[in-house]
């Protein structure tokens, strides 16, 4: 029991000593003007507040190209899946896979012997009807037949001409012609195969130039113009390509709130492949006297964004409105002016009217 009391006594004595030591230290700090109760706490001699050391930049007018970076897709200028309009046996394939073909060239021929026979029959009937019509016309001039009899002969001739024309149209469908010049892909048919209208023969693409399709947010739609220049690159190449906007969708997509845009880009070496992913950079406008400040100077707040500037040796908080942000800077559209010194460090610990000493960083 005595040992227990001795331990308690030692603990109590230790606590008393710590309290006495803390009081002594506080009194020394107060006497030296540095304690919590001293006047001008945190102040230098003479009662003046110590200046906070911060970095800042002086705003200067600069030229700024407002660019929008978006993603898009490369498309063929023209694209078609070749198919036959009639069924039949393939008698000839006149293209090489992966080759260039010219508009109007014969690509595939389908057996047309039965249609040729129908055409010959129709032409024979047409010639006979033409002879009858000519004879009836002569008889009508002599008054040997009535006008009604001649009209019947003329109607028969016109009917047979129409039938022959219809057969010629069917005959033309047995020849599959290239609708435009371009590169033809891999074929899925063989000579002697029976083809139907549902069978895709091959894909034909026109890839010089190519189209670049992309969408821009609704708020930028007034800045997108026809003939605007774009730059883009693909994952398969480090080269930067250029193109020009040639068409805008007349309406905004109600679900994505974006405007669909298409541009044309030359592709003489066929380096750009349809379906490729494109990283597009679009210059919206150019500002000659733009105000740019470092990103770290911006302080997000509930009502928007603010920055601190140095004014008469003190920090002043200013509300700003911003525009495009780059990797290093942000465009300020209102709230600042040329010549203002924007503080770039200590933003989270600064307060209005706090004395500051600014080191201007260039």
């Amino acid at each position: 029991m005595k040992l227990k009391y001795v331990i308690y006594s030692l603990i109590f004595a230790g606590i008393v000593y710590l309290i006495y030591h803390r009081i002594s230290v506080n009194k020394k700090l107060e006497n030296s003007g540095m304690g919590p109760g001293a006047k001008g706490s945190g102040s230098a001699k003479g009662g003046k507040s110590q200046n906070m050391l911060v970095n800042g930049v002086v705003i200067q007018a600069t030229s700024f190209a407002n660019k929008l970076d978006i993603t898009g897709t490369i498309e063929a200028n023209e694209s078609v899946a070749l198919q036959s309009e009639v069924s039949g046996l393939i008698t000839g394939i006149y293209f090489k896979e992966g080759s260039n073909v010219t508009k109007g060239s014969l690509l595939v021929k389908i057996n047309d012997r039965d249609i040729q026979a129908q055409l010959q029959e129709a032409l024979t009937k047409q010639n006979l009807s033409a002879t009858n019509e000519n004879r009836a016309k002569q008889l009508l001039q002599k008054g040997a037949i009535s006008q009604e009899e001649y009209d019947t002969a003329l109607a028969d001739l016109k009917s047979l001409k129409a039938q022959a024309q219809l057969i010629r149209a069917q005959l033309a469908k047995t020849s599959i012609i290239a609708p435009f010049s371009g590169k033809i892909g891999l074929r899925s048919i063989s000579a002697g195969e029976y083809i139907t209208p549902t069978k895709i023969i091959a894909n034909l693409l026109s890839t010089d130039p190519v189209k670049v399709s992309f969408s821009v947010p609704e708020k930028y739609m007034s800045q997108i113009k026809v003939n605007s220049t774009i730059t883009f690159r693909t994952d398969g190449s480090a080269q930067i390509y250029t193109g020009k906007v040639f068409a805008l969708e007349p309406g905004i997509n109600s679900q994505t709130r974006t405007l669909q845009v298409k541009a044309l880009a030359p592709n003489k070496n066929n380096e750009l492949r349809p379906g490729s992913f494109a990283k597009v950079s679009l210059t919206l406008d150019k500002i000659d006297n733009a105000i740019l400040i470092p990103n770290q100077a911006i302080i997000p707040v509930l009502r928007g964004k603010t920055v601190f500037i140095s004014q008469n040796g003190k920090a002043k908080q200013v509300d700003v409105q911003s525009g495009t942000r780059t990797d290093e800077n942000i465009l300020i559209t209102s709230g600042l002016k040329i010549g203002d010194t924007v503080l770039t460090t200590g933003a989270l610990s600064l307060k209005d009217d706090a004395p500051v000493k600014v080191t201007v960083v260039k």
Side-chain angles (χ1 to χ4, degrees), residues 14-25:
I15 294 172
V16 170
Y17 173 76
L18 290 175
I19 294 173
Y20 172 77
H21 178 71
R22 182 71 265 176
I23 293 173
S24 299
V25 170

Side-chain angles (χ1 to χ4, degrees), residues 108-126:
V108 177
K109 183 63 180 176
I110 297 174
N111 182 21
D112 61 357
R113 284 177 292 181
D114 54 342
I115 301 178
Q116 290 281 9
Q118 293 175 22
L119 179 60
Q120 291 300 321
E121 181 183 4
L123 290 176
T124 301
K125 291 180 179 179
Q126 178 183 320

Side-chain angles (χ1 to χ4, degrees), residues 77-88:
N77 187 34
E78 300 290 347
S79 175
V80 65
L82 297 172
Q83 291 176 273
S84 173
E85 294 184 75
V86 295
S87 299

Side-chain angles (χ1 to χ4, degrees), residues 76-318:
N77 187 34
E78 300 290 347
S79 175
V80 65
L82 297 172
Q83 291 176 273
S84 173
E85 294 184 75
V86 295
S87 299
L89 290 175
I90 297 174
T91 58
I93 298 175
Y94 303 100
F95 69 89
K96 184 178 180 181
E97 295 173 283
S99 65
N100 291 318
V101 297
T102 57
K103 181 180 179 179
S105 59
L106 178 63
L107 302 177
V108 177
K109 183 63 180 176
I110 297 174
N111 182 21
D112 61 357
R113 284 177 292 181
D114 54 342
I115 301 178
Q116 290 281 9
Q118 293 175 22
L119 179 60
Q120 291 300 321
E121 181 183 4
L123 290 176
T124 301
K125 291 180 179 179
Q126 178 183 320
N127 292 335
L128 178 61
S129 179
T131 301
N132 293 334
E133 184 271 338
N134 186 52
R135 185 181 300 113
K137 187 175 182 179
Q138 294 176 0
L139 293 174
L140 177 64
Q141 292 174 350
K142 296 177 181 180
I145 62 173
S146 65
Q147 181 69 40
E148 182 179 0
E149 290 174 310
Y150 171 73
D151 290 342
T152 300
L154 180 61
D156 288 341
L157 176 61
K158 289 182 177 180
S159 176
L160 289 172
K161 284 183 176 180
Q163 290 181 21
Q165 189 174 4
L166 178 61
I167 294 173
R168 285 192 181 96
Q170 292 294 322
L171 183 62
K173 292 179 181 179
T174 62
S175 298
I176 299 174
I177 306 297
F180 52 83
S181 298
K183 178 170 285 189
I184 198 164
L186 306 179
R187 61 181 171 91
S188 58
I189 59 169
S190 299
E193 180 181 346
Y194 187 85
I195 192 172
T196 63
T198 59
K199 180 75 170 181
I200 295 178
I201 298 170
N203 292 315
L204 177 62
L205 305 177
S206 174
T207 57
D208 184 23
V210 292
K211 294 176 182 177
V212 184
S213 178
F214 56 94
S215 299
V216 298
E218 180 182 0
K219 64 180 180 179
Y220 298 115
M221 66 178 183
S222 61
Q223 301 181 53
I224 307 298
K225 307 294 182 183
V226 173
N227 292 327
S228 297
T229 300
I230 69 166
T231 58
F232 66 95
R233 61 185 180 87
T234 63
D235 288 339
S237 173
Q239 183 176 345
I240 302 297
Y241 302 92
T242 61
K244 282 193 174 183
V245 174
F246 75 93
L248 307 174
E249 189 71 33
I252 298 293
N253 188 310
S254 60
Q255 295 182 345
T256 61
R257 298 298 177 186
T258 57
L259 175 68
Q260 188 73 19
V261 183
K262 284 194 176 183
L264 279 178
N267 187 31
K268 293 182 179 180
N269 298 325
N270 290 318
E271 295 174 344
L272 300 172
R273 298 297 182 99
S276 299
F277 175 82
K279 298 176 182 177
V280 181
S281 181
L282 176 64
T283 300
L284 299 176
D285 52 26
K286 188 174 182 180
I287 305 173
D288 292 329
N289 294 318
I291 294 178
L292 296 175
I293 65 173
N295 289 326
Q296 62 266 29
I298 291 289
I299 306 171
V301 293
L302 291 177
R303 61 181 180 273
K305 298 182 180 71
T306 66
V307 299
F308 277 102
I309 64 173
S310 175
Q311 193 173 78
N312 299 323
K314 293 184 178 181
K316 181 181 178 182
Q317 193 169 15
V318 178

